[in-house]
Amino acid sequence: MADSVTFPGPSTFVAEGPCAPLKTLHSQPKTSKGHTARTANAFLLYRTAFTKNQTVPRDVEIDPKAISIIAGLTWHALPDEERQKWQAEADMKRDTHTCNTPGYACRP
């Protein structure tokens, strides 16, 4: 029995028919020129670092949804001290955002 976990490659699953993936991954509407983005929470900062560090190699998984699921599982497995570091960074970014954009209110 193998001691390591392997992930199927990107070509393992091919969807056809009505469940086929959309042609574009970026389906969100374009934002206006004066739009102020919301600040990222602790998990979003962690997921960004998780992706940039290529914790899951691109030859193993390329689907952003699957990578988010894997990042979520590792996020929940992190010790509290590590998560508090990410929370502190998110708080710092939120405070900076508040200073730079007074009167900002999130209106999704």
Side-chain angles (χ1 to χ4, degrees), residues 2-108:
D3 292 331
S4 63
V5 176
T6 59
F7 295 99
S11 62
T12 304
F13 303 104
V14 178
E16 294 178 356
C19 296
L22 300 175
K23 290 184 180 183
T24 59
L25 294 176
H26 304 286
S27 60
Q28 295 178 346
K30 301 283 183 197
T31 56
S32 63
K33 198 169 201 170
H35 175 74
T36 302
R38 220 157 72 166
T39 57
N41 63 23
F43 173 71
L44 290 178
L45 294 174
Y46 173 77
R47 191 217 183 271
T48 300
F50 187 89
T51 304
K52 284 185 181 177
N53 293 338
Q54 292 188 352
T55 307
V56 178
R58 291 195 59 76
D59 61 333
V60 172
E61 184 61 65
I62 61 170
D63 180 29
K65 183 178 177 182
I67 292 173
S68 289
I69 291 170
I70 295 167
L73 292 171
T74 59
W75 170 257
H76 288 293
L78 285 178
D80 286 337
E81 300 84 33
E82 184 70 23
R83 278 200 273 177
Q84 287 174 358
K85 290 177 188 176
W86 289 104
Q87 185 60 50
E89 185 176 342
D91 292 342
M92 183 182 67
K93 287 186 180 285
R94 187 188 65 237
D95 293 343
T96 303
H97 185 271
T98 302
C99 290
N100 292 338
T101 55
Y104 169 80
C106 176
R107 293 182 188 98

